[in-house]
Structure formats: structure tokens, C-alpha cells
Amino acid sequence: MSLEFNDSQPIYRQLRDRVIAMILDGVLKEGDPLPSVRNVAAEFRVNPLTVLKSYQQLVDEKLVESRRGLGMFINAGARDLLLQGERQKFLQEEWPRISANIQRLGLTPDELLKAAKGVKKP
Amino acid sequence: MSLEFNDSQPIYRQLRDRVIAMILDGVLKEGDPLPSVRNVAAEFRVNPLTVLKSYQQLVDEKLVESRRGLGMFINAGARDLLLQGERQKFLQEEWPRISANIQRLGLTPDELLKAAKGVKKP
DNA sequence: TGTAGTGTTATAGTTAACTATAACAGCTAG
DNA sequence: CTAGCTGTTATAGTTAACTATAACACTACA
């Protein structure tokens, strides 16, 4: 595992997004523990405080709960909360800028499909 | 004019993106001068050095040329350079993450169209 | 010539993000 | 109780981004 980081956003926000993706993808289910602060820090060769900061964001968003001595756990209802919140956030704050960009660059649906994450038929 | 800034990226990069958008949109054509460092700084209530930094990025990318005492001017071929470079950059570095996100959130083409920048038929 | 507009550099200070290192606090399995 | 895993806090230092203020260098134009 080496998943690199983008310099377009602070690491702690990228870590947060990664957990959120895992929840939405069902990799992490409600009640599951997050990978421990120290483990993640070691895995990505990052400072434990940076990981902690990303996890505390998730706590602030009511998505996970922290139990001292035990770990951080995904709250009940976290996925639903996300499907509401993140959808709105994406549609209102990110997508308008992105779609404007796509038009500007004259990108076609075909090109976009080919460049999408998982190419359906290789 | 008050166009606000996003906290997801440094201001100087957002300013750079704004100029690039203007070039792609044809608002700024080759040979045209960019709005002056001081003007932009005043307009967005931002430090002149921040604006300068964004402009110097554009110089590094061979998109504009600086003539001391005169201003900064858009290079010949800038638009073509962009249509090549930015397309690749977008398709390779941004779009995969974005399309994964769209799938994850279960967003439909219909919702995306409605939320796009310019709503075609209101 | 001088003035007003350009880009550019210098100095210096604040804040946020990240880092290293270490210790503290709580839980559980042996 | 101890060892080993959790989260958490403390201290302190580096770097990038941004800010304020000022001066310098160059060009066009009246």
C-alpha cells in the first residue's frame, strides 16, 4: 500500500475523503472500527497527528465516534448521512465548476467515459 | 465584482485557473494584456504579491509573457497549448477521482445536468 | 521632463499544515 | 497486574501561503 497524496489539498482532508469513500463503497460498515491512527500513519508514512486531525473531522461530522482505548467506530446512520450531505455538497460546490471546465475543454462524453476510473470493457 | 475564493485551493492557483478559463472562453485573446497585478489585487482585495505569483505561474507555463513597464500579455499559441495540456491534465489527474465520486454518490446524468453551471432550459 | 501606469524586489510578520518526539490516558487479553 | 493495543495531549520546529508596506525599474504619453 502506498497510495500517494495530491498537493492540491491538505493531507488530512484527503485522508478524510478516503474514509468517506470507503464508507460509501461499503468497505467500512456501520459499527466497524477505522484503521488505527498509528497504523494509518505508518502505512502512509505520515505524522499521527495529521491522521488524528482527519479523524476528528469525521467526529465533528457525526460520522464516527471515538472510544478512548478502543478505537474510532463508524456511527449508525453514517452512510445515509453521507448520501444526503455529500451529494448536495458535490452538486452545489464542485460540480458546477467541473462541468464548466468540461465544456470549456470541449471534452466529449466518449472521452470522459474512457478516462473514468474503472474502464468497464477493457 | 466580488468573486469569492474557495478554501480548497490556494488563492494564487485559483487566480491562475481564472485566467486560464478566460483564455479558453475567448474572453482574453492572444496578444491581449492581462488585467494588471495592482488592479486584480484591488478588485479581489488580495495582496499584489499573491496575484504576481499566479501570473508568474502562467509565465512558467509559456502562456503569457511579461514586459516590464507595459504589462503581461497572452502569448501566441496559448489557447492551443491549453487545449492540449489542460485536457490531458484534467482527464488524467482530476476526472478519475471525480467520476469515481459520482458513481459512489449514485448521481444520475439528469441530476448532473440540472446542477451544471449554465442551466440550458430553465 | 515628469507623471502615471506597468512589472519586480525587499523586508518582515501571521497563520495553517505538517513534522518529530514524547508522554499521558483508557481498555483488554494474557 | 502487565503488556500491548487504542485515542489524546504537549512541546517545538519547518515550510508554504498570505499579508502589509515600501521601494525600485521600466515605458508611454502629455
Side-chain angles (χ1 to χ4, degrees):
Chain A
M1 287 296 147
S2 70
L3 184 24
E4 251 91 54
F5 293 104
N6 206 322
D7 67 336
S8 72
Q9 255 189 320
I11 294 176
Y12 76 93
R13 234 179 289 178
Q14 293 182 52
L15 285 172
R16 170 199 167 273
D17 289 346
R18 187 171 165 273
V19 173
I20 284 180
M22 289 198 290
I23 295 176
L24 288 173
D25 288 343
V27 176
L28 289 176
K29 299 185 200 311
E30 317 194 340
D32 285 357
L34 300 189
S36 90
V37 168
R38 284 175 178 83
N39 276 355
V40 175
E43 178 177 356
F44 297 113
R45 316 195 65 192
V46 141
N47 195 286
L49 287 187
T50 305
V51 181
L52 182 63
K53 185 169 185 178
S54 75
Y55 278 13
Q56 278 173 338
Q57 289 233 322
L58 296 167
V59 173
D60 291 344
E61 297 176 66
K62 316 280 190 199
L63 292 171
V64 314
E65 193 187 48
S66 156
R67 288 186 235 156
R68 204 184 185 117
L70 286 175
M72 319 256 317
F73 298 84
I74 303 195
N75 277 338
R79 195 161 187 281
D80 288 346
L81 233 174
L82 273 180
L83 278 179
Q84 289 182 356
E86 292 291 296
R87 281 169 67 110
Q88 264 217 335
K89 191 174 158 192
F90 179 84
L91 285 176
Q92 293 182 356
E93 297 174 23
E94 296 190 60
W95 181 245
R97 199 205 47 196
I98 292 165
S99 69
N101 231 311
I102 290 175
Q103 285 202 1
R104 202 169 310 177
L105 294 171
L107 293 168
T108 67
D110 194 55
E111 288 173 295
L112 292 173
L113 280 178
K114 277 184 188 159
K117 194 89 181 194
V119 179
K120 296 291 166 51
K121 297 179 180 178
Chain B
M1 288 295 147
S2 70
L3 184 23
E4 251 91 54
F5 293 104
N6 206 323
D7 66 336
S8 73
Q9 256 189 320
I11 293 176
Y12 76 92
R13 234 178 289 178
Q14 293 182 53
L15 285 173
R16 170 198 167 274
D17 289 346
R18 188 171 164 272
V19 173
I20 284 179
M22 289 198 290
I23 294 177
L24 287 174
D25 288 343
V27 176
L28 289 176
K29 299 186 200 311
E30 316 194 340
D32 285 357
L34 300 190
S36 90
V37 168
R38 283 175 179 82
N39 277 354
V40 175
E43 178 178 355
F44 296 114
R45 317 195 65 193
V46 141
N47 195 286
L49 287 186
T50 304
V51 181
L52 182 62
K53 186 168 184 178
S54 75
Y55 278 14
Q56 278 174 339
Q57 289 232 322
L58 295 168
V59 173
D60 291 343
E61 297 176 67
K62 315 279 190 198
L63 293 171
V64 315
E65 192 186 49
S66 156
R67 287 187 236 154
R68 202 184 185 117
L70 287 175
M72 319 257 314
F73 298 85
I74 303 197
N75 277 338
R79 195 161 187 282
D80 288 346
L81 233 175
L82 274 181
L83 278 180
Q84 289 182 355
E86 291 291 295
R87 281 169 67 109
Q88 264 218 334
K89 191 175 160 192
F90 179 85
L91 285 176
Q92 293 182 356
E93 297 174 23
E94 296 190 59
W95 181 245
R97 201 204 46 191
I98 292 165
S99 68
N101 232 311
I102 290 175
Q103 285 202 1
R104 202 168 292 151
L105 294 171
L107 292 167
T108 67
D110 194 55
E111 288 173 294
L112 291 172
L113 281 177
K114 277 184 188 158
K117 194 89 180 195
V119 179
K120 296 292 168 49
K121 298 179 179 177

